[in-house]
Amino acid sequence: QVQLVESGGGLVQAGGSLRLSCAASGSIKGIDAMGWYRQAPGKQRELVTSITTNGGSTNYADSVKGRFTISRDNDKNTVYLQMNSLKPEDTAVYFCNVRVNYFFNYWGQGTQVTVSS
């Protein structure tokens, strides 16, 4: 089992920035990728960004490219999401995700990000 603890959400005005963190603990040896998803009211959960733990390859949704940056600290088993130039349409619950052994997925509890216009 992997436990994930997220932090950093909140309320920000359009154009502002927030930084999310997600710390993993437990059976973390096989983590091969970490990422962030989000779910807005009435919408499906969608991938925002992900990063591999070996090599650091990243993947971004088109809607956040150039504004969001994912990074990781393998020593701390932590993944970060720096969100700049936030827009009202970025408002959602953001979920941390880790993948273990290319198969098992674990989720954080979610953190609310609200961007006011």
Side-chain angles (χ1 to χ4, degrees), residues 2 5 7 11 23-24 26 41 54 59 69 73 86 91-93 102-103 105 107 110 115:
V2 175
V5 178
S7 60
L11 173 65
N54 183 12
N59 178 40
T69 303
D73 184 332
L86 282 160
T91 295
V93 178
Y102 300 93
F103 184 78
N105 281 280
W107 296 91
V115 184

Side-chain angles (χ1 to χ4, degrees), residues 94-106:
Y94 284 69
F95 296 90
C96 177
N97 169 271
V98 300
R99 189 179 67 193
V100 177
N101 295 329
Y102 300 93
F103 184 78
F104 299 100
N105 281 280
Y106 295 91

Side-chain angles (χ1 to χ4, degrees), residues 71-98:
S71 60
R72 85 230 187 267
D73 184 332
N74 287 346
D75 290 337
K76 295 182 178 180
N77 301 305
T78 299
V79 63
Y80 305 96
L81 179 62
Q82 179 66 44
M83 304 184 292
N84 298 329
S85 302
L86 282 160
K87 304 175 181 180
E89 50 263 44
D90 294 318
T91 295
V93 178
Y94 284 69
F95 296 90
C96 177
N97 169 271
V98 300

Side-chain angles (χ1 to χ4, degrees), residues 21 25 32 42 50 57 80 83 91 117:
S21 299
S25 61
D32 60 88
S50 64
S57 297
Y80 305 96
M83 304 184 292
T91 295
S117 57

Side-chain angles (χ1 to χ4, degrees), residues 1-91:
Q1 293 289 328
V2 175
Q3 293 78 45
L4 302 173
V5 178
E6 302 163 355
S7 60
L11 173 65
V12 65
Q13 288 188 333
S17 299
L18 284 174
R19 188 190 193 211
L20 306 183
S21 299
C22 174
S25 61
S27 301
I28 59 175
K29 185 176 182 180
I31 293 178
D32 60 88
M34 306 179 81
W36 293 92
Y37 287 69
R38 67 186 181 186
Q39 188 167 18
K43 295 187 177 181
Q44 290 188 331
R45 191 173 297 188
E46 62 176 359
L47 174 67
V48 177
T49 179
S50 64
I51 185 169
T52 60
T53 54
N54 183 12
S57 297
T58 58
N59 178 40
Y60 291 93
D62 288 343
S63 59
V64 306
K65 284 180 180 177
R67 301 188 297 121
F68 290 11
T69 303
I70 190 171
S71 60
R72 85 230 187 267
D73 184 332
N74 287 346
D75 290 337
K76 295 182 178 180
N77 301 305
T78 299
V79 63
Y80 305 96
L81 179 62
Q82 179 66 44
M83 304 184 292
N84 298 329
S85 302
L86 282 160
K87 304 175 181 180
E89 50 263 44
D90 294 318
T91 295

